[in-house]
Amino acid sequence: MHHCRSVVQARDDLLEHKALLSGARKLPVEIISEIFSQCLPEVDTSSVIWSPEPHPNQAPLLLTQVCRSWRSIAIATPRLWSALIINASNGSPSHSAITKLWLDRSRNVPLTLTLLVRATDRFDGGRRATSYEEFVPVAATKVLTMFISHLPRVRALALLFALPVIRAIPKLHPVGDNVCNQLEKLHLVTSFENTAQEITWTRSLVHSAPNLRHLYFDSSMVPLPIVRGEEWCLRLRTINLDAAYGIPPQDFFLLLRNSPELVQCVIVMNLDESLNHLTRWDEMPKVVHSALQELSLSSEDIFLGNVLNLLTLPALVSLKLSTVGDEAWPHTELMNFLSRSLCILKELKLDSERMTDDQFLIYLGLVNKSLRALYLPTWKSTSERILQFITPVKLKASATLLGSPDPSPFPLGRNLPYLETLSFGIAPHQYIASLRDFVEDRCLVNQGTKPRLRAIHIHLLLPLISGLSTDLDLALKALLDQVSDDNSLTLKITSSHLQFPSFVYV
């Protein structure tokens, strides 16, 4: 028995000595630190709501639990602690400790910080809160206060609030000039109305970042004081102002004039029709922006024509216009804008109740050879004329022989040959033959000789009834079979009808 124990002990000693001779122990600390850095989960502030919080089973905390050596190296590597996501919705007191741990260990490296606070229906001692501020977890205000103290080295900041966290911090001082000198990306989401503290602090945060490159602002607040100003947006490259009330047209043009490096612009313009009569369009200077490549603009249709008359965007490759109202679609103004800009559009979305098929077909003719992505309205059924225009020549000709003439004013050969992405709505059994032809010739592989769509979104305005059209059923079945075997194709079919659930194939 003693002999057996000696053998076991000897074997254990041998394993320990082999561990000491492991190649991993011979690696320089710098190499191990770099390997550790590659173990970190990716952080994307554009989809940060779904990003994971710190967890013991993930790096960097996991790396501190393996051995003393790894723990020392992990703690001594500041960039492992440079990104932090805190969901303070449940008010856990551990959030403050975690935040302090991360901020201390990150030392002086640039930070990527995210604070998420969802709405909760909490009670305090059986008493429902009497103001929205009382719903804000104390942990959220503590974490935000710690974030603010480290603003000078924050490179990316996301504050996603469904509760008035800013308003719940007493005596919150505005951010000083140039304090956020390293801030390049700012993502703000809030669902509350203006208060003096919220406006003052948010504006000071934005205007204290002279090197800001990306701004995303989604709020019910009116962001007028945030937009106005010059120096803060000199280096701005992307901006998304998705505020419920929008911004006046003059602030939109002011933003363009003050942002010479702007590449992507998503704007909701103020939807108050009365502002059109108060806006002195003839006194507003025209804007030629040579860097802007993507413009997405939502506005009252009464504004759009005047806005287009003042714009020239020669570098534009993506145009998305969405309007509401009862005024006529500004066809002439849009044609003049495209002619004046001489831009080569690769992505197009035009969404308006007032635009006619004749007008839309003219636009498709203009961008026929350059367009890569087309987004048709999904709230209404795409007309057969548009669907046939997208469908290749031979099928359009066969449809004509069947007694369904193509009224398009363009030659049959113009069918967006380089289109890769398409989104549209349709009542599937309204144009069975055209939809079948579209699926067969724009989506399915044809001996590898014809370019086909790579991303498709079909929104069904009516449920798809199997067996009503055998040819269409077979075409859709072939498409689904192809998607299952082809990783390069993305298919999304949605429906507003509960009996037909939406699905996505990737």
Side-chain angles (χ1 to χ4, degrees):
M1 182 67 69
H2 177 72
H3 175 71
C4 293
R5 285 199 297 268
S6 299
V7 171
V8 172
Q9 182 64 40
R11 184 180 302 152
D12 292 341
D13 293 341
L14 179 61
L15 292 175
E16 289 182 5
H17 283 81
K18 283 185 176 181
L20 292 174
L21 298 176
S22 171
R25 294 181 178 271
K26 300 177 183 179
L27 290 175
V29 172
E30 294 80 8
I31 299 298
I32 298 177
S33 295
E34 182 60 34
I35 294 174
F36 284 179
S37 299
Q38 301 301 319
C39 297
L40 294 174
E42 294 186 3
V43 175
D44 180 8
T45 54
S46 65
S47 59
V48 74
I49 293 178
W50 310 112
S51 300
E53 289 188 273
H55 194 279
N57 294 332
Q58 286 187 331
L61 290 178
L62 178 62
L63 301 173
T64 65
Q65 304 173 53
V66 178
C67 63
R68 293 179 183 176
S69 176
W70 279 26
R71 176 179 175 81
S72 299
I73 296 174
I75 293 177
T77 306
R79 55 183 165 164
L80 293 181
W81 314 91
S82 63
L84 176 63
I85 299 168
I86 293 293
N87 181 355
S89 304
N90 61 5
S92 172
S94 64
H95 291 138
S96 300
I98 292 173
T99 302
K100 185 178 185 306
L101 178 71
W102 247 254
L103 294 176
D104 290 344
R105 290 182 177 179
S106 63
R107 299 182 186 176
N108 295 318
V109 299
L111 296 170
T112 297
L113 301 178
T114 298
L115 177 58
L116 169 65
V117 181
R118 292 190 177 95
T120 56
D121 188 15
R122 302 189 311 124
F123 293 84
D124 183 11
R127 180 181 60 86
R128 184 183 294 273
T130 57
S131 66
Y132 283 115
E133 288 88 341
E134 294 184 49
F135 281 99
V136 178
V138 175
T141 59
K142 289 184 177 180
V143 171
L144 180 58
T145 302
M146 284 189 279
F147 279 9
I148 292 173
S149 64
H150 289 266
L151 282 178
R153 61 188 181 102
V154 174
R155 178 174 293 170
L157 178 64
L159 302 178
L160 314 179
F161 299 154
L163 291 171
V165 181
I166 297 173
R167 192 166 43 184
I169 301 179
K171 299 180 180 179
L172 181 63
H173 298 290
V175 182
D177 293 341
N178 296 321
V179 167
C180 300
N181 192 54
Q182 294 195 51
L183 187 61
E184 296 180 358
K185 186 171 185 179
L186 180 60
H187 190 137
L188 298 173
V189 176
T190 176
S191 59
F192 281 79
E193 303 293 336
N194 290 337
T195 65
Q197 180 164 303
E198 287 172 319
I199 293 176
T200 302
W201 189 83
T202 306
R203 184 183 189 280
S204 69
L205 175 65
V206 173
H207 287 248
S208 70
N211 295 310
L212 190 64
R213 294 299 188 95
H214 311 280
L215 174 62
Y216 183 95
F217 190 84
D218 184 356
S219 174
S220 59
M221 295 167 56
V222 182
L224 302 184
I226 299 173
V227 174
R228 291 171 184 165
E230 297 182 6
E231 295 182 359
W232 74 272
C233 56
L234 287 176
R235 303 194 65 187
L236 200 64
R237 291 185 61 83
T238 65
I239 185 168
N240 187 324
L241 293 181
D242 191 9
Y245 297 105
I247 65 173
Q250 56 268 32
D251 285 330
F252 166 64
F253 288 107
L254 179 65
L255 177 67
L256 291 183
R257 290 196 298 270
N258 293 336
S259 308
E261 299 183 15
L262 194 64
V263 174
Q264 182 186 56
C265 181
V266 179
I267 293 290
V268 175
M269 196 166 288
N270 197 299
L271 301 181
D272 186 355
E273 185 176 340
S274 63
L275 283 179
N276 187 62
H277 305 292
L278 301 176
T279 304
R280 300 180 178 179
W281 295 101
D282 55 338
E283 298 180 5
M284 296 180 64
K286 295 184 178 181
V287 175
V288 179
H289 201 294
S290 58
L292 192 64
Q293 297 179 13
E294 301 178 31
L295 174 63
S296 177
L297 179 63
S298 301
S299 74
E300 278 272 355
D301 47 21
I302 197 172
F303 289 153
L304 187 57
N306 290 319
V307 171
L308 293 174
N309 282 336
L310 296 173
L311 276 181
T312 302
L313 306 175
L316 196 67
V317 295
S318 174
L319 178 63
K320 298 179 180 179
L321 302 177
S322 178
T323 66
V324 295
D326 298 324
E327 298 292 326
W329 172 258
H331 174 67
T332 302
E333 290 83 353
L334 179 56
M335 291 294 292
N336 291 338
F337 163 76
L338 295 174
S339 175
R340 185 172 61 250
S341 297
L342 293 175
C343 52
I344 301 176
L345 290 181
K346 297 183 179 180
E347 188 175 49
L348 181 64
K349 177 181 178 180
L350 301 176
D351 191 349
S352 174
E353 294 184 22
R354 311 299 293 177
M355 183 175 54
T356 67
D357 280 354
D358 287 334
Q359 293 170 340
F360 192 70
L361 284 169
I362 291 175
Y363 308 140
L364 290 184
L366 292 176
V367 300
N368 181 60
K369 299 299 182 182
S370 63
L371 204 64
R372 299 295 189 274
L374 176 61
Y375 302 95
L376 300 170
T378 57
W379 53 268
K380 67 176 182 179
S381 182
T382 300
S383 71
E384 190 168 22
R385 294 177 63 189
I386 303 297
L387 202 59
Q388 288 183 350
F389 179 81
I390 300 172
T391 307
V393 176
K394 66 182 185 67
L395 287 173
K396 288 166 66 176
S398 66
T400 302
L401 293 176
L402 292 173
S404 178
D406 175 24
S408 169
F410 303 104
L412 292 178
R414 294 191 176 183
N415 59 349
L416 306 174
Y418 303 108
L419 194 66
E420 297 177 349
T421 301
L422 178 64
S423 174
F424 65 97
I426 195 161
H429 302 298
Q430 190 172 2
Y431 312 122
I432 292 177
S434 296
L435 181 57
R436 177 205 61 208
D437 294 346
F438 161 77
V439 171
E440 289 179 348
D441 279 71
R442 291 311 300 249
C443 307
L444 300 180
V445 174
N446 185 18
Q447 290 84 41
T449 60
K450 188 190 312 178
R452 64 182 177 86
L453 294 169
R454 294 292 181 180
I456 311 152
H457 174 203
I458 304 175
H459 183 73
L460 302 177
L461 301 175
L462 295 173
L464 187 65
I465 304 174
S466 179
L468 187 60
S469 172
T470 304
D471 292 343
L472 177 58
D473 291 343
L474 291 175
L476 289 175
K477 182 180 184 302
L479 179 58
L480 296 178
D481 291 341
Q482 180 176 299
V483 171
S484 63
D485 298 330
D486 187 353
N487 293 331
S488 66
L489 178 63
T490 300
L491 172 64
K492 180 180 180 181
I493 298 181
T494 59
S495 174
S496 54
H497 292 267
L498 296 178
Q499 62 267 39
F500 187 84
S502 304
F503 61 91
V504 179
Y505 287 90
V506 180

